[in-house]
DNA sequence: TTGTAGGCGTTATCAT
DNA sequence: ATGATAACGCCTACAA
C-alpha cells in the first residue's frame, strides 16, 4: 500500500510536508505543493483514514441504527440520514435491530469498537435504555429518532404520535364510526403508547366509551399473521373501523380482512400511521397519518453533527414533527343500516 | 479513553497479555485470563478497531453501494447484504449513488480511504467502469450486483433480465397484444439492454415487427414525469400494452395513464420488472417479473467474503438468479374489438 | 506462561 | 517553509 512516506520520498520532502499539503495546514511553497500533489496523483495515493482516526481521535464515521430498512418509513428516514451525512462529510455505518434490543446491543458494541463520532438511534423500545446508557457511558453523542425512551434525556427528532392518532380517530368518528378497534404495537414502545393515548383521548372527547376488547397489542413488525382479527370479529358488537398503529400492521390487517371476505372500506374502514410511498403512488388507497420520514433522518443527522462539532454543549433539543392526515379511500362513512 | 494499557496496569500484567486474552491467542493461565477479563468488564473496555485495523491491515468493514435505497428492490437487497455481513462478522458502510457515476466516484474514494475489506457494488451503469477499475487498481475485492459492466470481469450476482423480459412479453402476446410498448431504462445500463433484447426477441419469435416508435428511454429513476406517454398515445396505431423495465417506471406509467383517464388494465395492460413488496401485499395488482432481491444481497455478500477470506484465488463466479413471472391483474386479454 | 521491542500510517508539536 | 520526534492503540515476532 502506498503511504505518506512513499509520497514524501518520491517528492523529496518529509512526510510532514506531505501531510500539510493534504490537509492544507501550515505554510508550504506553491512549488512544493504542486510537486507533492503531482506525486500523489501518479502514485494513486489515498490517505488511510484509520491511521488518521487514531491520531485525530475522530473517525468521521456516524452510525444509523433502525429497526428495519424494509419498512418504507425507515427507508426514507435512512435516505435523509445518508444524504445529510454525505453532505456534511461523514461516512455512514448501518444496522437493523429488528425491534430486538439484543440485536441492538450487538450493534452498539460494534459501533463502540468503531469509535464512531456519533449515532443516529431509532430505539427498538424502552428496553433500549441500557443500550443508550452504554453509549452515554462511552461518551458517544447520539440523537434519538422516532421513539423516546423513558430515562433518557437527549436530542430527539420524533413525530407527534398522539396528535396524529387523534386526527385519525377523529376522522373515523366524523364518518360515523363508534366501534373503532386499535391494532397497536407493543406498549414497550413510546409511539405505541402515544398512539394509544391519542386514540383514547379522541374517543373520550367524543363521549365514546373505550372498550378494551377492541384493543390488540402486536409488535410493529408482526403483520403477517392476522389471527388476532378473530377476536375482534367475534365480538358481540364488532368494530366497524380499525386504526392500525403503523403501515405494516395496516397491511396485515387488510390482508387478513380480505382473506375473511371482509371488504375494505365497504365492510370495514381502516386507517393507519405512516404512509406506503410507492404503494400510495400506485394506488392511493390507504387513509393515513403520514410522517415526514426523510426529515426525521435529515434533521436528526443535522442535530447530531451539530452536537458533535459544537464547542459548547447547547441545550437538549426536541423536535416534534407533525403528521399529515391524508384522506384516501380505505375508510368510508358508516351507512345508516349499521348505526 | 480506556486502552489496553489501562487494563494491563489494573490487572498487573503486560499489554501483550491483555491482547492475548482478547484474541484468545497464545497460552495464558486461566487465572490471569479471569483477572484480565474482570478488569475489562469493570473498566468498560472496548478495543479500538481502528488501531486494530492499522496493524492487522484489515478493517472488517465492507461497503454496499446501491443506486437508491428508496427502491424496494434495493431495499431488500440491502437487507440481505446487512444480515449476511452481520452474520459473518463484518460492519457495513453504506451509500446511494442515485444512478450517477460521479456520486459513485465520490463514494469509491470514501471507501478507499476507509480501507474497507471489500465492496458490494451495484453499478450505476457502464460508466461505472472507471470506478470499478479504481477499486481494482487498489486491489479492493468487490462483487458486482445486478448490473454487469462491460470491461469488468468479476464475481457477480445478477438477474436473468433477458429471460424475465421474454416471459413478460410472451405473456402479453399470449393475451393477444401485438402493439407492445417498452418503457426502458438507459441503454448505458446492462439490465436495460438485456430487457430490450428480451423484448425484441420475444416479438421476433412471435413474428411481430419491432416498432421503434413504441420504445422509450428513461433513467430507471425517472418515474415522476409521464410526458413520454404522449408520444406513445399519439401514435396512429397506439400500444395496447406497456412493458415497463422496472418498478419505478411502472408506477410512473400507471400514474400517467390514469391522469389521462386511461384505465389499467381495461384500456391498457401494464407489466414490469421487479416487484413492489408491501404494495403487492396490500393490493396484488401489478403483473411482474419478480427478482429475489434479498438473495442478490445475501449471496453477493457471501461471495464477497469468500473471496476476501479465500487463500487461493478461485475462478470468477457468475450467479444468475431467475425471475418469477407473477401474474396479477394489471394486464388482461385484448378484447376482440381492438384486434 | 508472560513480557519487550518495533511498527502499522498519520498528525501535533516544536525546532530549524 | 520544512522537518524530527513522539504519540494514537494495538498486534506480531521474538525473548525470557
Amino acid at each position: 500500500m502506498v503511504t505518506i512516506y512513499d509520497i514524501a520520498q518520491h517528492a523529496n520532502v518529509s512526510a510532514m510536508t506531505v501531510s500539510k499539503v493534504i490537509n492544507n495546514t501550515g505554510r508550504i511553497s506553491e512549488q512544493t505543493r504542486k510537486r507533492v500533489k503531482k506525486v500523489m496523483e501518479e502514485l494513486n495515493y489515498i490517505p488511510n483514514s484509520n491511521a488518521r482516526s487514531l491520531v485525530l481521535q475522530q473517525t468521521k464515521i456516524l452510525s444509523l441504527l433502525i429497526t428495519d430498512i424494509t419498512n418504507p418509513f425507515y427507508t426514507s428516514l435512512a435516505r435523509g440520514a445518508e444524504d445529510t451525512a454525505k453532505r456534511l462529510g461523514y461516512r455512514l455505518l448501518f444496522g437493523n435491530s429488528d425491534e430486538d434490543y439484543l440485536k441492538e446491543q450487538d450493534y452498539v458494541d460494534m459501533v463502540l469498537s468503531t469509535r464512531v463520532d456519533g449515532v443516529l438511534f431509532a430505539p427498538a423500545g424502552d428496553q433500549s435504555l441500557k443500550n443508550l446508557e452504554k453509549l452515554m457511558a462511552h461518551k458517544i453523542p447520539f440523537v434519538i429518532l422516532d421513539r423516546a425512551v423513558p430515562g433518557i434525556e437527549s436530542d430527539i427528532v420524533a413525530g407527534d404520535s398522539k396528535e396524529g392518532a387523534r386526527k385519525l380517530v377523529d376522522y373515523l368518528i366524523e364518518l360515523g364510526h363508534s366501534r373503532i378497534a386499535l391494532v397497536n404495537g407493543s406498549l414497550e414502545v413510546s409511539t405505541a403508547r402515544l398512539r394509544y393515548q391519542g386514540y383514547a383521548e379522541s374517543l373520550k372527547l367524543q363521549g365514546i366509551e373505550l372498550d378494551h376488547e377492541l384493543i390488540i397489542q402486536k409488535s410493529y413488525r408482526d403483520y403477517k399473521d392476522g389471527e388476532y382479527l378473530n377476536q375482534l370479529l367475534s365480538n358481540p358488537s364488532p368494530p366497524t373501523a380499525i386504526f392500525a398503529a403503523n403501515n405494516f400492521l395496516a397491511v396485515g390487517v387488510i390482508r387478513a380482512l380480505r382473506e375473511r371476505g371482509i371488504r375494505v372500506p365497504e365492510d370495514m374502514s381502516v386507517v393507519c400511521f405512516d404512509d406506503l410511498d410507492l404503494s400510495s403512488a400506485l394506488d392511493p388507497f390507504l387513509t393515513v397519518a403520514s410522517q415526514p420520514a426523510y426529515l426525521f433522518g435529515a434533521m436528526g443527522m443535522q442535530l447530531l453533527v451539530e452536537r458533535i462539532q459544537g464547542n459548547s454543549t447547547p441545550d437538549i433539543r426536541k423536535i416534534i414533527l407533525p403528521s399529515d392526515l391524508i384522506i384516501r379511500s380505505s375508510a368510508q362513512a358508516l351507512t345508516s343500516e349499521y348505526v
Side-chain angles (χ1 to χ4, degrees), chain A:
Chain A
M1 198 193 335
V2 22
T3 77
I4 205 170
Y5 280 99
D6 299 323
I7 307 301
Q9 200 174 326
H10 284 253
N12 258 309
V13 293
S14 75
M16 219 28 248
T17 302
V18 178
S19 174
K20 282 170 183 158
V21 170
I22 294 170
N23 300 296
N24 266 312
T25 172
R27 310 179 187 291
I28 32 182
S29 69
E30 206 41 44
Q31 192 187 358
T32 54
R33 174 189 304 282
K34 284 245 165 66
R35 187 152 37 98
V36 168
K37 287 211 163 182
K38 184 148 157 282
V39 175
M40 294 200 300
E41 289 275 315
E42 286 169 2
L43 270 53
N44 264 312
Y45 170 71
I46 295 192
N48 181 325
S49 52
N50 290 297
R52 229 151 179 271
S53 297
L54 200 54
V55 29
L56 257 26
Q57 299 285 55
Q58 60 153 6
T59 54
K60 282 282 182 180
I61 296 181
L62 266 20
S63 93
L64 172 65
L65 177 55
I66 60 186
T67 63
D68 187 4
I69 190 64
T70 264
N71 183 323
F73 172 74
Y74 284 115
T75 239
S76 294
L77 183 154
R79 193 58 220 250
E82 213 263 325
D83 288 351
T84 309
K86 186 172 188 191
R87 187 164 53 76
L88 300 176
Y90 286 83
R91 293 165 286 173
L92 199 58
L93 219 48
F94 175 78
N96 291 107
S97 71
D98 285 335
E99 305 277 356
D100 176 349
Y101 77 100
L102 292 172
K103 280 197 190 181
E104 194 175 85
Q105 190 175 41
D106 287 353
Y107 191 72
V108 166
D109 288 341
M110 253 192 182
V111 146
L112 286 173
S113 76
T114 307
R115 300 294 193 270
V116 299
D117 294 342
V119 183
L120 256 191
F121 199 117
D126 295 354
Q127 301 208 294
S128 301
L129 177 62
K130 52 179 72 88
N131 295 331
L132 259 358
E133 283 175 340
K134 194 164 187 178
L135 245 25
M136 294 180 77
H138 287 268
K139 299 199 189 340
I140 308 290
F142 59 84
V143 171
I144 291 185
L145 256 29
D146 188 38
R147 305 170 179 178
V149 174
I152 297 288
E153 287 297 315
S154 77
D155 293 335
I156 180 170
V157 178
D160 194 341
S161 279
K162 196 197 280 193
E163 173 66 12
R166 214 153 28 192
K167 281 185 197 169
L168 249 11
V169 177
D170 282 352
Y171 173 66
L172 289 173
I173 293 175
E174 268 176 45
L175 291 178
H177 298 275
S178 58
R179 297 294 290 167
I180 300 172
L182 168 62
V183 175
N184 203 5
S186 158
L187 288 187
E188 300 276 295
V189 180
S190 71
T191 50
R193 282 193 299 273
L194 290 168
R195 287 165 200 187
Y196 165 74
Q197 286 172 25
Y199 164 84
E201 279 183 18
S202 177
L203 291 180
K204 186 167 187 185
L205 282 173
Q206 309 295 326
I208 297 172
E209 198 171 351
L210 190 146
D211 180 353
H212 285 282
E213 294 292 310
L214 293 187
I215 297 179
I216 306 282
Q217 304 295 337
K218 304 287 289 179
S219 154
Y220 277 142
R221 295 187 78 228
D222 279 346
Y223 69 103
K224 304 277 179 194
D225 170 33
E227 220 271 307
Y228 54 89
L229 267 188
N230 298 335
Q231 174 189 331
L232 252 28
L233 298 174
S234 64
N235 192 294
S237 170
T240 59
I242 297 179
F243 165 31
N246 85 347
N247 47 9
F248 274 20
L249 292 172
V251 169
V253 162
I254 292 178
R255 294 191 64 173
L257 286 170
R258 287 182 178 156
E259 280 169 16
R260 289 162 176 72
I262 298 171
R263 296 166 303 166
V264 178
E266 293 84 351
D267 307 324
M268 181 77 77
S269 287
V270 175
V271 301
C272 73
F273 235 97
D274 295 331
D275 208 343
L276 289 178
D277 300 349
L278 259 197
S279 285
S280 297
L282 216 205
D283 174 29
F285 172 65
L286 258 181
T287 289
V288 301
S290 168
Q291 302 195 92
Y294 185 93
L295 267 188
F296 277 59
M299 297 192 67
M301 189 54 82
Q302 188 75 40
L303 288 195
L304 180 58
V305 171
E306 281 172 15
R307 177 151 307 271
I308 289 168
Q309 298 180 344
N311 20 31
S312 67
T313 308
D315 292 338
I316 284 175
R317 290 177 291 180
K318 297 189 184 299
I319 296 187
I320 304 297
L321 268 9
S323 47
D324 254 359
L325 179 63
I326 301 183
I327 295 177
R328 295 196 277 241
S329 59
S330 63
Q332 70 176 31
L334 197 58
T335 54
S336 54
E337 57 176 313
Y338 294 105
V339 179

